[in-house]
C-alpha cells in the first residue's frame, strides 16, 4: 500500500511524449453515452416534459425518482442541473449517495448547512439562472428511516432556496412524510424498441458491426436496463477481435444465458427420474459451470409455462416452488440446496399428472 | 541464484506453477484471448469475475492485470491498513498491492466492509496514476468475496463505481452471482469462469509433474481430478500431498480425504444410526468443532445433507430437502449458524425415524 499510495505525492509526472504511450482514457460507453440534456433521456416522457418546463422557467418542485437500475434516474437529474445552472452547476448541487456517510448527523449538519446557503439568480457571467440549489439524495432507499425523518424538517424549512431530489429503486423504503412532500416519478424499464434504437446508434458511432439477431437477443436479455444493455454491447464489441461483427454466441456468453441443452437435460432427468444420485450429480455439474441461478430459474420458468407436457395444476405447483426458491436465492440461500429442492419438486410435479 | 532455488523448493505447487500470462492459461483459452482483446483500448469496463472454488479466477485476474500494466504488477507488497468507522471503531485489514493495483477481501472486517471499500476506492481514485510507463490512466481495485459483501457495502459501491470511473476500475471476484445486487451486475462486465473439466485437470497435473521430474500414471491423475470435484487448487494440493505420502505413484494409491470431510461423514453416520437426544448433543459438539475450525457453515450443511439424503427413501427426500432448503436459508439470515444446523438435524432425525417406523410397520 505504501508504494501504491506514494505515487500520489510523488514528483510531478513528466508528460508523456507521444499520445501513443498512454492509452487515452476513453470512458466506458455507459459514461460516454450518458444523456447530456434531459431531452436525451429516452422513454421517461413524464419527467422529461416537466423538467423541460422547469428549465424554461417554471417552478421546480421537490422530486422523487424511483424505478429499476439503469433507467436514467441519476442521469436525468444531473442533466437537468447542468442545463439549469450551466458552468456553475457543481456549486449548486450537493450530491449524496449510498457511499457517503448519511447518518442523522450528516443530514443535520451537511445538508442543513448547504440548504442555508443563499443562491443568487444571476451567474458570475451575468446570465440568469434559478435562485436555488438542488440537494440530490441518490440511492435514498439505503438511508435509515431515522435519517429520513431528520430530513423532513429541513425540506419544509428551506423551500425558498433549496430543492430536493430523492432517487431510489424501491419507493416503499422511503418514509411517507418524505414521499408526500415530493412530486413522484416512476422510471419505467425501457422498451425493447428504445434500447434497440439506442444501441444501434452507439454501434454506428463506434463503428461496430453486428448481426441483427444478435442485437435483438442482447436487447431482450437486458430486461429494460439500459445500462446493462450498453455495458453488454461494449463487452461484446471489445471481447471479439477488431472487425468481427457481434454474433449470437458472444451475446449469449456476455449476457449469461444458460444454454438450452442444460435446461433440456434437467427436465428430462426429472421427468424420467430413476436415481437420486443422478440428479445430485447433475446439479453439481451444473453448479460447476457457474451459470447464475436466477437466470436459470427465469429460463426454466418460461419453458415450463409454455410446455405442453404439463397440465395447469402441475404448472402452478412448480410455479409456486420457483417463486419461493428464487426469493431464497436472492436472500443468500445455498444454490446447491435450492436447486436440489427444485429438482425434486419437478420430479413430483411430473408424477402428479 | 541459490537462494531463489531454495525458495522455489519450499513453494507449494499451487503457487509455483500458477500461470502468469493470459497466453499461458491452459484452459478456457478462447476466454483468455477475449480478455486480451479487452485490454487493447482505454475504455476498459469494471469487471465481475465469477466461478466456483479453485476454478482459476484469481489467476486469470492477475494475468489480466499483467496484460494491462506489464510485469510490474507482480511486485507485490502485503500490508495492513487501518481504518476508522464513523463510530470510531478501529479496523485493520490485510491488503496486497503493487504500484498499479490493490487487492482486498472486505469480508475480513465483517459488517464494517462498507467503510473499507469506500476508503480504499476514494484513496485510489484521488491518487493519480503518475507512473509514465503505466500505459493506463486508471488503477485497479480488486475486491474478492464480493458475494459476501453486506447489502450496505454493495449499495455504497453503486454511485462510487460511476463517479470515480475515470481513474479507478474495479475487478470484483465472486463464487456466484446470486448474492450480487442487480444494480452492481448492471455496472460490470460479468465474466464467467467455469471449473476446468476433469480432462483439463489431468492435463495440468501431468504438466506440473513433468516440471517436477515426476511421472504420474494417467489413471491416478484422473482419480485425483475426480476427487477434487473439479477444483484445480484442491487437485494440485492433493497431488502434492500424495507425492509426499508415496512416490513413485501407483495407479491405486490412496488419496486421503480432507479431515473435515471425514469428520462430517462420521457425524452423519451417527445421526443415521440413532435418533435420540444423546446423539443430538454429541452432534452439536461435532458441529461446534467444525465451526471453530473455520469450516464454512454452508459447506458443513451441504456435506452433511448429501450424506443424509443419500440414505433416505424417495418418499421423504423432497420433504427433507424442503426442510433443508428452509433451514439453510434461515441460517444465512441469522447470525447463530449453529442453531439452524442443529434445528435441521433434529428435524431430520424426526423425519427419518418416522420413515423407519413406517417401513417396519409394512413388514
Ligand atoms: N432513459 C435513458 N436514456 C438514455 N440512456 C440511459 C437511460 N437510462 C439509462 N441510460 C444509460 O445507462 C446509464 C446509467 O443510467 P443511470 O445512472 O441514470 O441509471 P439509474 O436509473 O440511476 O440506475 P441505478 O438505479 O442503478 O442508479 C447511463 O449512463 C446511460 O448511458
Ligand atoms: N490456467 C491455469 N493453468 C494451470 N494452473 C492454473 C490455471 N489457473 C489456475 N491454476 C492453478 O489453480 C489454482 C487455483 O487458482 P485460483 O487461485 O486462481 O482459483 P480461484 O478461482 O481464485 O479460487 P478460489 O475461489 O478458491 O479463491 C492456482 O493455485 C493455480 O496454480
Ligand atoms: Mg443511479
Ligand atoms: Mg481466489
Amino acid at each position: 500500500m505504501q508504494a501504491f499510495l506514494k505515487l500520489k505525492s510523488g514528483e510531478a509526472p513528466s508528460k508523456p511524449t507521444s499520445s501513443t504511450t498512454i492509452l487515452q482514457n476513453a470512458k466506458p460507453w455507459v459514461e460516454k453515452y450518458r444523456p447530456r440534456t434531459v431531452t436525451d433521456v429516452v422513454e421517461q416522457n413524464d419527467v422529461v416534459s416537466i423538467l423541460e418546463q422547469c428549465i424554461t422557467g417554471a417552478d421546480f418542485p421537490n422530486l422523487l425518482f424511483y424505478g429499476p437500475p439503469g433507467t436514467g434516474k441519476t442521469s436525468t437529474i444531473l442533466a437537468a442541473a447542468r442545463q439549469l445552472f450551466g458552468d456553475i452547476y457543481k456549486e449548486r448541487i450537493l450530491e449524496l449517495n449510498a457511499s457517503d456517510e448519511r447518518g442523522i448527523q450528516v443530514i443535520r449538519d451537511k445538508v442543513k448547512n448547504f440548504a442555508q446557503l443563499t443562491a443568487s439568480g444571476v451567474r458570475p457571467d451575468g446570465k440568469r439562472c434559478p435562485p436555488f440549489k438542488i440537494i440530490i439524495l441518490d440511492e435514498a432507499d439505503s438511508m435509515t428511516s431515522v435519517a429520513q425523518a431528520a430530513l423532513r424538517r429541513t425540506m419544509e424549512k428551506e423551500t425558498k432556496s433549496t430543492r430536493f431530489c430523492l432517487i431510489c429503486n424501491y419507493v416503499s423504503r422511503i418514509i411517507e412524510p418524505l414521499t408526500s412532500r415530493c412530486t413522484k416519478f416512476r422510471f419505467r424499464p425501457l422498451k425493447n424498441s428504445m434500447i434497440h434504437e439506442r444501441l444501434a446508434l452507439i454501434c454506428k458511432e463506434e463503428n461496430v458491426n453486428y448481426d441483427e439477431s444478435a442485437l435483438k437477443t442482447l436487447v431482450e436479455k437486458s430486461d429494460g436496463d439500459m445500462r446493462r444493455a450498453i455495458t453488454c454491447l461494449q463487452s461484446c464489441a471489445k471481447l471479439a477481435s477488431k472487425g468481427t461483427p457481434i454474433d449470437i454466441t458472444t451475446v449469449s456468453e456476455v449476457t449469461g444465458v444458460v444454454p438450452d441443452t442444460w435446461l433440456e437435460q434437467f427436465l428430462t432427468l426429472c421427468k424420467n427420474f430413476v436415481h437420486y444420485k443422478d440428479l445430485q450429480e447433475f446439479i453439481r455439474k451444473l453448479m460447476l459451470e457457474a451459470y447464475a441461478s436466477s437466470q436459470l430459474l427465469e429460463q426454466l420458468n418460461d419453458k415450463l409455462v409454455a410446455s405442453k407436457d404439463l397440465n395447469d395444476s402441475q404448472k402452478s405447483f412448480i410455479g409456486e416452488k420457483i417463486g419461493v426458491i428464487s426469493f431464497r436465492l436472492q436472500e443468500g440461500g445455498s444454490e446447491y440446496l435450492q436447486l436440489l429442492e427444485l429438482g425434486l419438486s419437478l420430479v413430483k410435479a411430473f408424477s402428479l399428472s | 541464484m541459490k537462494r531463489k532455488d531454495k525458495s522455489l523448493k519450499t513453494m507449494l505447487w499451487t503457487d509455483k506453477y500458477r500461470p502468469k500470462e493470459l497466453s499461458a492459461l491452459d484452459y478456457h483459452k478462447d476466454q483468455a484471448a477475449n480478455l486480451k482483446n479487452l485490454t487493447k483500448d482505454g475504455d476498459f469496463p469494471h469487471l465481475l469475475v465469477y466461478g466456483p472454488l479453485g476454478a482459476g479466477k484469481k489467476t486469470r485476474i492477475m494475468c489480466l492485470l499483467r496484460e494491462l500494466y506489464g510485469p510490474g504488477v507482480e511486485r507485490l507488497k502485503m500490508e495492513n491498513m487501518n481504518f476508522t468507522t464513523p463510530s470510531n471503531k478501529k479496523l485493520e485489514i490485510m491488503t496486497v498491492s503493487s504500484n498499479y493495483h490493490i487487492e482486498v477481501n472486505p469480508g475480513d472486517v465483517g459488517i464494517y466492509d462498507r467503510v473499507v471499500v469506500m476508503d480504499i476506492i476514494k484513496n485510489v481514485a484521488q491518487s493519480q496514476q503518475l507512473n509514465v510507463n503505466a500505459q493506463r490512466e486508471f488503477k485497479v481495485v480488486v475486491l474478492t468475496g464480493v458475494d459476501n459483501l453486506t447489502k450496505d457495502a454493495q449499495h455504497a459501491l453503486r454511485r462510487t463505481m460511476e463517479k470515480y470511473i475515470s481513474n479507478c476500475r474495479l475487478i470484483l471476484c465472486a463464487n456466484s452471482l446470486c448474492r450480487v445486487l442487480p444494480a452492481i451486475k448492471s455496472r460490470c462486465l460479468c465474466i464467467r469462469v467455469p471449473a476446468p473439466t476433469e480432462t483439463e485437470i489431468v492435463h495440468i497435473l501431468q504438466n506440473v509433474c513433468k516440471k517436477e521430474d515426476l511421472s504420474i500414471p494417467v489413471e491416478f491423475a484422473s482419480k485425483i481430478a475426480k476427487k477434487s470435484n473439479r477444483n484445480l487448487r484442491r487437485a494440485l494440493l492433493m497431488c502434492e500431498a500424495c507425492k509426499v505420502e508415496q512416490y513413485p505413484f501407483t495407479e491405486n494409491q490412496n488419496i486421503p480425504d480432507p479431515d473435515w470431510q471425514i469428520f462430517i461423514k462420521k457425524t452423519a453416520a451417527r445421526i443415521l444410526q440413532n435418533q435420540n437426544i444423546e446423539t443430538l448433543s454429541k452432534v452439536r459438539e461435532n458441529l461446534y468443532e467444525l465451526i471453530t475450525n473455520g469450516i464454512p457453515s454452508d459447506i458443513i450443511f451441504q456435506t452433511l445433507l448429501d450424506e443424509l439424503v443419500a440414505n433416505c427413501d424417495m418418499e421423504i427426500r423432497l420433504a427433507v430437502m424442503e426442510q433443508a432448503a428452509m433451514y439453510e436459508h434461515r441460517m444465512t439470515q441469522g447470525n447463530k449458524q449453529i442453531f439452524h444446523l442443529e434445528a435441521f438435524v433434529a428435524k431430520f432425525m424426526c423425519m427419518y425415524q418416522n420413515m423407519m417406523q413406517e417401513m417396519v410397520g409394512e413388514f
Side-chain angles (χ1 to χ4, degrees), chain B residues 14 18-19 25-27 53-59 175 232-233:
Chain B
T14 46
R18 190 192 282 273
L25 290 178
D26 31 22
Y27 56 92
L53 292 175
K57 301 178 291 297
K58 189 59 192 314
T59 308
N175 284 316
L232 182 53
R233 175 178 315 101

Side-chain angles (χ1 to χ4, degrees), chain A residues 1 25 95 289 334 336, chain B residues 79 137 159 166 192 306:
Chain A
M1 194 66 200
N25 196 4
E95 188 191 347
E289 294 301 313
S334 137
Y336 176 68
Chain B
E79 250 156 326
E137 285 181 347
R159 188 75 186 114
S166 53
R192 186 172 63 92
D306 274 345

